[in-house]
Amino acid sequence: MIKDLGLCKAAAAAEEMEQVAAAGEEEEVPKAQFSDRVPIRSIISRGDGGSGLAGRKARVGGWVKTGRKADKDAFAFLEINDGSCAGNLQVIVEASVAELGQLVPTGTCVVVDGRLKLPPAGTKQKIELRADKLLHVGSVDPAKYPLPKIRLTLEFLRDFVHLRSRTNTISAVARIRNALAYATHTFFNKEGFLYVHTPIITTSDCEGAGEMFQVTTLLSEAERLEKELLQNPPPTEVEVEAARFVVQEKGEVVSQLKAAKASKQEIGAAVDQLKKSKESLAKVEERFKLKPGIPKKDDGKVDYGKDFFARQAFLTVSGQLQVESYVCALSSVYTFGPTFRAENSHTSRHLAEFWMVEPEIAFAELKDDMNCAEAYVKFMCQWLLDNCLEDMQFVADKFDKGCIDRLKLVASTPFIRVTYTEAVEILEDAVKNGKKFENEVKWGIDLASEHERYLTEVKFQKPVIVYNYPKEIKAFYMRLNDDLKTVAAMDVLVPKVGELIGGSQREERYDVIQSRIKDMGLPLEPYEWYLDLRRYGTVKHSGFGLGFERMILFATGLENIRDVIPFPRYPGRADL
């Protein structure tokens, strides 16, 4: 028996020597350009699973997903992941290399030098690393670590938003999100669009809904002033009068010296004393006027002239209006950034902070807008299939078995296009045939999510573009159609999430858009700059907005939008 064991060890050693010899002169796996380690992705995501690297040296770092001791604590198996891909690399550490107890807890960070070797036949991994040296360990107390090695709900993970990216699900979503962002920039740059950074702080309400976060320093200034006045109370009226009396006295001294034809030096000194007294009086009077609380005008309204921007300002709900100023000069542009909505909604489809992709095309009508939206969505779907399949397979296995088929369908299928009127007629026919909707179906309503999903998942079983909506339910900037009842608006509806994109041909006629602003009950003054785009060299142009998190929901099949953004903000929560 001992003889057989010795033969096995000799055979293993011989096999390892063969792997080293096969590696030849290229003994070390190339490291990352900006890091002193080899990304795990460059090892295990090769076509051969990494087996072709057997015998080579490598330095790897990552976080332990699972760890266990074996062979009476002679060595430990560590499954480590560095976030570069979904897969883990198995690392074998002998007790002679490091104290194993500190390495095996889930969440531990390790950096090791070692040699890649082929695992025993029949194991699932194609390559593993035999550690020669431990370079770093970021230890974890398993009794306190909040993400134990058990299946955790996504809702639970929202309470640990700073750690949840270490889980398989959130890291996969992060890579999918990154891929979609890259695809977005690739698509628009390929099609000749320029990326424009629009402001996060704005003084105009794009949607006209009023659900905006206000940006102000008045509250913090009021708190600061109140604290200061408590510590250093303002002067009394008696003190102000005393300061005025001093100025009066100093002024009389100057007058007397001048009347007596005193020397220039004497008069100059007295004048200097008078100036200092006046400066002191000005400060006393200024502090005397200080009052705690928010500054108010004579009519009792808040005096925003005292605010940081000297007017009301808000976090943007859309970059569209601002990017239109660039489309009227550069022809094809897009913006991609965070937007904000102060809507007290707790649904699985709403966030207070979310990202929007908003292209704008000059010399383009509604049909051009629809063509661009369809091409963009198809491009993103195909991009995930071509570049992020491993992570898509993970979410398909864990959350939505149909997500990959859905991407293939959308990437390869022409979108159906129906007018809003036709869509309502389809829904009304469905109701007549026994379909029950929670929201009433009639012409003039804003289609609900259940209506949108019926059109995409039941009626057509593919993406649908609905266009020409009633003007009453759409924004002021959408072009009024000749029927004077509808506007040239369109929504791209997809299975699983319903509305993915909302867009329109913009109203380029000055008199019409001015009337629309008034009809919506909005003040003209904040939009004067926007009207200038119609006054000076107006042009037909169209655009749309895609909710980036909704695209990720559509792609992954996850149910809650809070799980597809790194740091979700919603009513009652703004962690970190």
Side-chain angles (χ1 to χ4, degrees), residues 252-558:
E252 289 175 355
V253 170
V254 171
S255 298
Q256 290 170 1
L257 289 172
K258 286 181 178 180
K261 296 183 179 181
S263 67
K264 288 184 178 179
Q265 290 82 356
E266 287 181 298
I267 294 174
V271 169
D272 287 341
Q273 290 294 317
L274 176 60
K275 285 181 179 178
K276 290 179 181 178
S277 297
K278 285 183 176 180
E279 290 172 0
S280 178
L281 172 62
K283 291 179 180 179
V284 170
E285 288 181 329
E286 183 180 357
R287 282 192 57 78
F288 179 73
K289 293 176 183 177
L290 292 177
K291 304 294 181 189
I294 304 295
K296 300 286 182 69
K297 296 180 181 178
D298 293 338
D299 60 4
K301 294 182 178 179
V302 175
D303 185 2
Y304 287 106
K306 302 287 176 61
D307 208 346
F308 187 89
F309 294 108
R311 62 187 300 181
Q312 275 188 289
F314 307 90
L315 294 180
T316 184
V317 298
S318 168
Q320 178 209 312
L321 299 190
Q322 287 83 0
V323 88
E324 279 190 59
S325 68
Y326 271 71
V327 81
C328 291
L330 304 178
S331 297
S332 294
V333 296
Y334 74 105
T335 185
F336 180 12
T339 53
F340 308 84
R341 199 68 57 86
E343 184 179 358
N344 191 19
S345 174
H346 294 265
T347 76
S348 62
R349 292 291 183 268
H350 290 88
L351 288 167
E353 175 184 306
F354 53 98
W355 284 63
M356 291 282 288
V357 180
E358 298 176 287
E360 204 73 25
I361 320 165
F363 311 102
E365 298 182 345
L366 185 63
K367 66 179 187 301
D368 305 304
D369 202 32
M370 292 190 282
N371 291 340
C372 180
E374 180 172 344
Y376 170 45
V377 173
K378 286 184 173 181
F379 185 89
M380 285 193 291
C381 292
Q382 191 60 51
W383 187 275
L384 288 180
L385 294 170
D386 293 341
N387 299 283
C388 216
L389 190 57
E390 182 185 20
D391 287 309
M392 287 305 307
Q393 288 170 336
F394 172 82
V395 295
D397 179 55
K398 300 298 182 182
F399 296 97
D400 184 355
K401 298 190 183 303
C403 65
I404 293 177
D405 289 337
R406 191 165 59 246
L407 289 179
K408 291 178 179 178
L409 170 72
V410 175
S412 61
T413 305
F415 292 9
I416 295 292
R417 300 186 185 188
V418 297
T419 65
Y420 169 87
T421 300
E422 292 168 337
V424 170
E425 289 172 352
I426 291 170
L427 295 170
E428 287 176 335
D429 287 342
V431 172
K432 290 177 183 176
N433 291 323
K435 174 65 179 175
K436 295 187 182 299
F437 293 111
E438 290 184 10
N439 298 275
E440 183 184 6
V441 176
K442 65 178 181 179
W443 200 95
I445 64 163
D446 197 0
L447 298 181
S449 178
E450 60 175 337
H451 303 143
E452 296 166 345
R453 294 187 63 175
Y454 176 85
L455 293 171
T456 59
E457 297 173 10
V458 179
K459 176 63 179 178
F460 295 110
Q461 299 181 1
K462 62 179 67 175
V464 179
I465 302 180
V466 179
Y467 63 97
N468 288 349
Y469 280 79
K471 66 179 183 180
E472 287 79 13
I473 61 173
K474 290 296 182 180
F476 70 89
Y477 52 75
M478 298 184 176
R479 196 179 200 277
L480 189 64
N481 288 327
D482 293 341
D483 61 11
L484 303 182
K485 293 171 55 183
T486 61
V487 289
M490 66 90 180
D491 288 342
V492 178
L493 315 179
V494 294
K496 186 70 179 177
V497 301
E499 182 188 342
L500 179 64
I501 284 175
S504 71
Q505 181 175 338
R506 314 311 190 190
E507 182 57 77
E508 87 282 5
R509 297 165 293 186
Y510 171 78
D511 56 337
V512 178
I513 195 167
Q514 185 183 49
S515 297
R516 289 280 289 151
I517 292 174
K518 291 179 179 177
D519 292 344
M520 298 286 285
L522 299 172
L524 283 173
E525 188 275 329
Y527 301 100
E528 282 298 330
W529 67 270
Y530 190 68
L531 293 173
D532 277 351
L533 303 178
R534 277 72 181 167
R535 290 187 183 104
Y536 311 129
T538 189
V539 61
K540 282 187 177 181
H541 59 287
S542 301
F544 61 81
L546 172 136
F548 195 60
E549 284 73 29
R550 287 199 174 194
M551 180 64 204
I552 304 170
L553 281 182
F554 163 74
T556 61
L558 269 64

